[in-house]
Structure formats: structure tokens, C-alpha cells
Amino acid sequence: MATKDTKPWLDTSDPQKFINNTAKFNDLMMMYRCAIREVRTKLEVLDDEFSVENQRNPISFIKTRIKKPESIYRKLQKLGCEFTPDNIVTQLHDVAGIRVVCAFVDDIYTIADLLASQDDITVLQVKDYIKNPKPNGYRSYHMIIEIPVFFSRGKTPMKVEIQIRTNGMDFWATLEHQLRYKKGIEQMDGYEEVSKELMECAVAVINMDNEMQNIKNKIGKFHDI
């Protein structure tokens, strides 16, 4: 009895084509990993410099990820594109992702401005979900940037998605994703009430972030006296 192919992106009908595409895909993923290292190094340098000059670190932690082949395939399929290395590069902006978690809201904009001001970084897109939260309460600052990465064959511009948020925003987004995206949750009884409660939690996080920022500002004023 034939079994259903659980990995439709893995086409083995033509062995040579499969080998060639796999090699190209692995090479491309290596390039995205290198792009992440370039951006992460820049962020760590900024954090170290800020620590020396201001006696505190604006960045709490950094997480990185490369999209899995299945996720890349599904996203290209939604766009009506074939699963090819060329389409991955030209059609997708978030294959390489970095999440930067900061202590305070103003740190988010500081880090974003410092990155954008570097002459080897090109900002392709910005979405400010802090000033304009998503309907579900999600908040974060998103940037799509392009950065040159130097390989033996020459310089290659690579795209990286950066999400910058506070500890509170990250805490809410992580748990909200786990709760809301449980399989079939939209059909469960009381889903609207769950959505309402998640929004109330988002508002509580917003209020906490704003209050912590106000306290930080007051302490800063005390130090200036």
C-alpha cells in the first residue's frame, strides 16, 4: 500500500535533479547562517559598547533561526512559486531570522536606529507593531535588512528579518503562539473568550512596559541632577 509523502518539497523522482537541488539548497542555507552571524556580531558589538558607555546592557538576549524546509515550501506554495533556490532568495525575506529582546521600549528604537545607520546595512522594510499593534495584541518592531556577506566567490547581499521587542512582549508573544495555534483551537467552545483574555494580557504587558519605561526615565533624571 502506497504511503502519503509527508515531505512534498522532497522530490526524488529525478535523482540527479534532486542531488543538484539539495546541494544548492544546503549551500543557500549556509549563506543565510553566515548572514545571521554577521548581524548577530553587529548587535553584540553595539550591546558591549552601550554597556561600557552607559553601565547597562540594552539587549537582554538574542535568538536566531533559519526557516525549516517545510515552512519555506509552504510559504512559496502560497505565493504560487516553485520550491527553488532562486525563488527562496527573490520571494522570501524571512528565511534568516533574528529576535532581539530588550529591557525597555526605548532600547528597541535605539538598537533599530543604530543598525539602520551602519553603512553596510540596507533597510528594505520596517513594520512597527509597537506603535501599531496587530489586532490580537501582538507588539514588536520588525525590520527586513540586507547585508553583504563575503564568501570565497565574492560578496553576496543577504536578507535577514530582525524582530526587536521587550521581555514583556516576547513573553506574551511566545505563550500566545503556544495557546492560540493549538490545532483546531478556532473551533473550540469559548474561543472568543480566550481571545478576549489574551488581549487583556497584552494590554497588561503594554501597561507594564510603559510603567517600567517611566521608572527608568525618572531614575535617569535623578542621575542627571
Side-chain angles (χ1 to χ4, degrees):
M1 183 175 66
T3 58
K4 184 178 179 182
D5 183 9
T6 58
K7 294 183 178 180
W9 53 272
L10 198 62
D11 181 10
T12 58
S13 57
D14 183 338
Q16 189 57 49
K17 181 180 178 182
F18 169 71
I19 291 169
N20 292 340
N21 283 339
T22 299
K24 290 178 181 177
F25 180 81
N26 290 338
D27 185 57
L28 183 58
M29 293 304 104
M30 175 276 295
M31 294 170 71
Y32 278 117
R33 288 194 298 272
C34 291
I36 281 179
R37 284 203 294 271
E38 292 278 351
V39 178
R40 180 165 192 150
T41 298
K42 287 179 175 292
L43 290 165
E44 290 172 345
V45 168
L46 290 173
D47 192 51
D48 285 347
E49 181 186 7
F50 198 95
S51 175
V52 171
E53 294 183 358
N54 299 278
Q55 288 76 56
R56 72 176 190 87
N57 294 90
I59 298 176
S60 298
F61 61 88
I62 300 169
K63 286 187 176 180
T64 65
R65 65 107 182 96
I66 299 289
K67 265 189 181 300
K68 294 180 179 179
E70 294 93 333
S71 297
I72 294 173
Y73 171 82
R74 285 195 296 268
K75 194 155 188 178
L76 285 175
Q77 198 174 41
K78 286 181 181 179
L79 295 172
C81 300
E82 292 184 8
F83 184 76
T84 66
D86 286 344
N87 282 338
I88 292 171
V89 172
T90 59
Q91 300 298 322
L92 303 183
H93 301 319
D94 61 345
V95 175
I98 297 180
R99 186 189 308 171
V100 185
V101 179
C102 298
F104 298 97
V105 174
D106 63 355
D107 291 333
I108 294 172
Y109 293 101
T110 297
I111 294 297
D113 289 343
L114 289 171
L115 274 180
S117 67
Q118 299 198 14
D119 57 13
D120 60 342
I121 285 181
T122 302
V123 179
L124 303 177
Q125 186 182 85
V126 168
K127 290 185 178 179
D128 190 342
Y129 294 117
I130 299 171
K131 294 178 180 176
N132 301 289
K134 289 186 178 183
N136 68 342
Y138 174 86
R139 294 187 307 144
S140 188
Y141 189 92
H142 291 198
M143 304 172 70
I144 304 294
I145 69 165
E146 194 170 67
I147 183 170
V149 183
F150 293 83
F151 300 100
S152 60
R153 54 185 173 272
K155 180 174 67 174
T156 303
M158 302 295 298
K159 295 174 187 173
V160 178
E161 182 191 52
I162 305 172
Q163 298 179 358
I164 316 175
R165 57 181 71 159
T166 64
N167 287 281
M169 295 175 198
D170 188 61
F171 168 77
W172 180 89
T174 301
L175 295 186
E176 192 266 357
H177 181 82
Q178 292 180 22
L179 295 170
R180 189 182 291 275
Y181 291 96
K182 182 180 179 182
K183 186 176 181 180
I185 190 174
E186 295 86 354
Q187 285 74 46
M188 68 173 279
D189 292 336
Y191 176 68
E192 290 184 0
E193 183 64 24
V194 168
S195 294
K196 179 184 175 183
E197 291 175 350
L198 286 170
M199 176 58 77
E200 290 173 352
C201 290
V203 172
V205 170
I206 291 172
N207 292 335
M208 180 189 69
D209 273 339
N210 290 338
E211 188 58 33
M212 296 302 286
Q213 182 67 56
N214 290 334
I215 293 171
K216 173 182 172 290
N217 293 342
K218 289 178 181 177
I219 292 174
K221 289 179 181 178
F222 296 154
H223 279 299
D224 290 340
I225 295 175

